[in-house]
Amino acid sequence: GENVEQHPSTLSVQEGDSAVIKCTYSDSASNYFPWYKQELGKRPQLIIDIRSNVGEKKDQRIAVTLNKTAKHFSLHITETQPEDSAVYFCATGGNTGKLIFGQGTTLQVKP
Amino acid sequence: SAVISQKPSRDICQRGTSLTIQCQVDSQVTMMFWYRQQPGQSLTLIATANQGSEATYESGFVIDKFPISRPNLTFSTLTVSNMSPEDSSIYLCSVVLQGGAGELFFGEGSRLTVL
């Protein structure tokens, strides 16, 4: 069945450093790859997404890269700030609209 | 964006009882889904709520345990039946908005604790 593997499960960085989270997927029909940020006690919020017709997308300090051949995609956060501390989830989707989520990465940014 | 309201936001329930969660969206919606998030875990898709017809359930979830209704485009209910402590979770309604780019947005979630 569909499977999304996310690594690492926890990540601790110093403020100002970069953070990278990686996901691999199994379903070759996947064509939509969003990333969500979930702060403690809150709902998941979409922060960036990419579709399979592009390889990279950037929005200020965050970027996502996609390698469809290798079936993996990554989230890059530069110049991390304490407010970036949260749980980040990758997901994959196809034409049905439903998403399959990775296991999540707890990011801690130390001041 | 849209306002996706869920009720109740939280509840404490007794084993063996059932609880219905409501989801109301203030914009037109193309697709609605229900997810479960167990404590400290990821999001697991329960089912796709289909307007005017039976929901489409994912592997491991059945209609008798999680009956879902979607009488119109913007409203859906999820019932958690015959609850046990293992059902203690956050249940999240999620939608794809009409006229959007296909992004999935989440309601605030309903946190259920089963004693």
Side-chain angles (χ1 to χ4, degrees):
Chain A
E2 302 151 1
N3 190 44
V4 181
E5 295 288 332
Q6 183 171 344
H7 298 280
S9 57
T10 60
L11 180 59
S12 182
V13 300
Q14 214 56 44
E15 182 177 0
D17 288 349
S18 295
V20 181
I21 303 170
K22 299 181 179 179
C23 287
T24 60
Y25 62 97
S26 59
D27 187 359
S28 55
S30 298
N31 56 20
Y32 177 58
F33 307 91
W35 286 88
Y36 286 81
K37 176 184 180 182
Q38 187 175 32
E39 296 175 339
L40 191 62
K42 300 203 174 168
R43 75 184 88 186
Q45 297 272 17
L46 178 68
I47 57 171
I48 195 167
D49 57 10
I50 193 168
R51 299 188 185 272
S52 60
N53 56 340
V54 296
E56 184 173 357
K57 183 177 178 181
K58 191 172 181 182
D59 182 4
Q60 299 183 352
R61 294 187 298 107
I62 59 173
V64 55
T65 58
L66 171 64
N67 183 329
K68 268 219 101 177
T69 304
K71 295 199 186 105
H72 65 72
F73 57 112
S74 301
L75 177 71
H76 305 252
I77 306 174
T78 58
E79 300 170 31
T80 53
Q81 301 166 3
E83 50 266 38
D84 294 330
S85 296
V87 180
Y88 291 81
F89 293 98
C90 66
T92 62
N95 295 328
T96 62
K98 65 182 185 181
L99 297 181
I100 305 301
F101 284 82
Q103 298 88 341
T105 297
T106 300
L107 174 64
Q108 181 187 30
V109 180
K110 298 178 183 175
Chain B
S1 64
V3 176
I4 307 166
S5 303
Q6 279 187 239
K7 288 194 293 188
S9 58
R10 58 179 63 232
D11 207 339
I12 298 173
C13 309
Q14 295 299 317
R15 182 195 300 257
T17 62
S18 299
L19 183 80
T20 296
I21 302 166
Q22 298 180 359
C23 177
Q24 178 72 57
V25 189
D26 72 348
S27 299
Q28 290 301 307
V29 166
T30 58
M31 305 196 74
M32 292 182 87
F33 306 94
W34 286 97
Y35 281 83
R36 180 175 74 181
Q37 187 172 31
Q38 294 176 303
Q41 302 295 313
S42 183
L43 297 103
T44 302
L45 180 63
I46 297 171
T48 303
N50 299 309
Q51 186 201 354
S53 65
E54 190 172 295
T56 304
Y57 290 86
E58 297 298 307
S59 176
F61 297 96
V62 295
I63 188 171
D64 290 347
K65 177 66 176 176
F66 297 102
I68 288 170
S69 78
R70 187 180 171 193
N72 58 55
L73 279 176
T74 61
F75 182 79
S76 178
T77 67
L78 167 74
T79 300
V80 186
S81 303
N82 188 25
M83 287 184 284
S84 67
E86 294 71 37
D87 294 319
S88 297
S89 284
I90 300 172
Y91 292 86
L92 294 137
C93 170
S94 61
V95 303
V96 177
L97 299 176
Q98 196 170 67
E103 305 98 327
L104 189 69
F105 297 100
F106 286 89
E108 311 109 322
S110 299
R111 181 183 295 270
L112 301 189
T113 302
V114 184
L115 303 177

